[in-house]
Amino acid sequence: MNAIKNPAGVDSPPPADAALVLTGERTVPGLKEENYWFRRHEVVYQRLAQGCAGLEVLEAGCGEGYGADLIARAARRVIAVDYDHAAVAHVRARYTGVEAVHANLTELPLADGSVDAVVSFQVIEHLWDQPQFLRECARVLRPAGALMVSTPNRITFSPGRDTPINPFHTRELNAGELTQLLVDNGFSGVTMSGVFHGPRLQEMDARHGGSIIDAQIARAVADAPWPAELLADVAAVTTADFEIVEAGDRDIDDSLDLVAIAVRA
């Protein structure tokens, strides 16, 4: 039986475009200037997709759809939900192995207990009602189903600030805050890992004033041309340049992104 409900009041989507516009709210593949951020997100999909083998999976907040497509190569079924009409139309046109649905993530259009796993990478920091979103994830999961979440580490992404640097983010979290949020809203058995720069990216950091991230941000803020060396380094980044390390093996507060896996309580 199809687990997807027809969400009431959803407008007709616009026609699909060949590519999505880079707005800063989501990353997209195939752009040299965006390659660092794309690879930093992609590595989490690559690592966790193996845990979705043979399962029915919901991706909550699919964006451009490249991650849902990657998961679909292992999973039995992937339902990809996003609030943006253009993103949903794009996913439907480009990634035919994914079932793309337009909906609000705090009102998921799925029946109770209808999927084995929920994946939501680099999404929760964009949401105003994070607890309600997590309760919805718990609702649509089958007993002992897994939620996989990644999000920027507040400590390193917006250091020394109470409000996020990124204008598209509503609330960023550190590892303790994310763990507590999960436990308070229907999950248990939380395991935490962090995304770190590997040796080659550490060399790039040294070449660009101590942080290749800050070097990129400086170009964006100044709306200035990219130095050739910086663009070449950013375009050359691969997923192999990042390391995902469990919290017990390295200080999680030093991580760039947090990766949490939790079980429906």
Side-chain angles (χ1 to χ4, degrees), residues 221-265:
V221 170
D223 195 21
W226 284 57
E229 184 182 27
L230 175 61
L231 183 57
D233 277 349
V234 168
V237 172
T238 72
T239 56
D241 294 321
F242 296 92
E243 298 176 350
I244 300 179
V245 183
E246 292 184 6
D249 296 330
R250 193 164 174 181
D251 189 347
I252 195 68
D253 288 344
D254 292 335
S255 67
L256 301 168
D257 296 322
L258 305 170
V259 182
I261 301 176
V263 177
R264 178 190 146 185

Side-chain angles (χ1 to χ4, degrees), residues 32-37 40 196-220 226-238 241-242 256:
K32 289 181 179 180
E33 294 85 352
E34 183 68 10
N35 185 59
Y36 168 87
W37 299 103
R40 181 164 147 178
F196 297 85
H197 281 178
R200 202 164 76 104
L201 270 168
Q202 292 173 22
E203 293 174 2
M204 292 182 189
D205 283 331
R207 281 202 297 274
H208 299 287
S211 172
I212 194 171
I213 299 171
D214 290 346
Q216 294 176 79
I217 292 172
R219 300 275 71 76
W226 284 57
E229 184 182 27
L230 175 61
L231 183 57
D233 277 349
V234 168
V237 172
T238 72
D241 294 321
F242 296 92
L256 301 168

Side-chain angles (χ1 to χ4, degrees), residues 91-177:
V91 174
R92 287 173 178 165
R94 183 167 184 176
Y95 302 112
T96 56
V98 174
E99 300 173 42
V101 180
H102 173 268
N104 190 319
L105 298 188
T106 60
E107 299 176 359
L108 292 171
L110 276 75
D112 295 356
S114 57
V115 294
D116 302 303
V118 176
V119 170
S120 190
F121 296 157
Q122 305 297 316
V123 172
I124 195 168
E125 67 276 6
H126 293 265
L127 304 180
W128 289 105
D129 195 343
Q130 295 172 348
Q132 174 61 19
F133 166 63
L134 292 178
R135 289 192 292 269
E136 276 291 276
C137 291
R139 180 185 65 78
V140 302
L141 279 167
R142 294 178 177 130
L147 171 65
M148 307 176 191
V149 176
S150 77
T151 189
N153 178 10
R154 176 176 60 78
I155 295 174
T156 57
F157 200 81
S158 297
R161 292 174 58 98
D162 294 328
T163 57
I165 291 175
N166 189 317
F168 295 105
H169 292 180
T170 60
R171 181 196 176 200
E172 295 170 356
L173 304 158
N174 63 28
E177 291 163 345

Side-chain angles (χ1 to χ4, degrees), residues 22-79:
L22 183 64
T23 64
E25 188 171 12
R26 60 179 169 243
T27 189
V28 298
L31 299 177
K32 289 181 179 180
E33 294 85 352
E34 183 68 10
N35 185 59
Y36 168 87
W37 299 103
F38 171 69
R39 299 302 178 187
R40 181 164 147 178
H41 293 182
E42 185 185 34
V43 68
V44 180
Y45 282 104
Q46 288 182 345
R47 172 68 68 87
L48 296 186
Q50 56 192 318
C52 298
L55 303 182
E56 289 189 280
V57 180
L58 164 69
E59 181 173 19
C62 63
E64 194 272 346
Y66 66 88
D69 179 63
L70 193 157
I71 292 170
R73 300 171 199 175
R76 180 159 60 91
R77 180 189 186 197
V78 175
I79 304 162

Side-chain angles (χ1 to χ4, degrees), residues 79-97:
I79 304 162
V81 175
D82 203 276
Y83 189 67
D84 182 69
H85 275 306
V88 172
H90 174 82
V91 174
R92 287 173 178 165
R94 183 167 184 176
Y95 302 112
T96 56

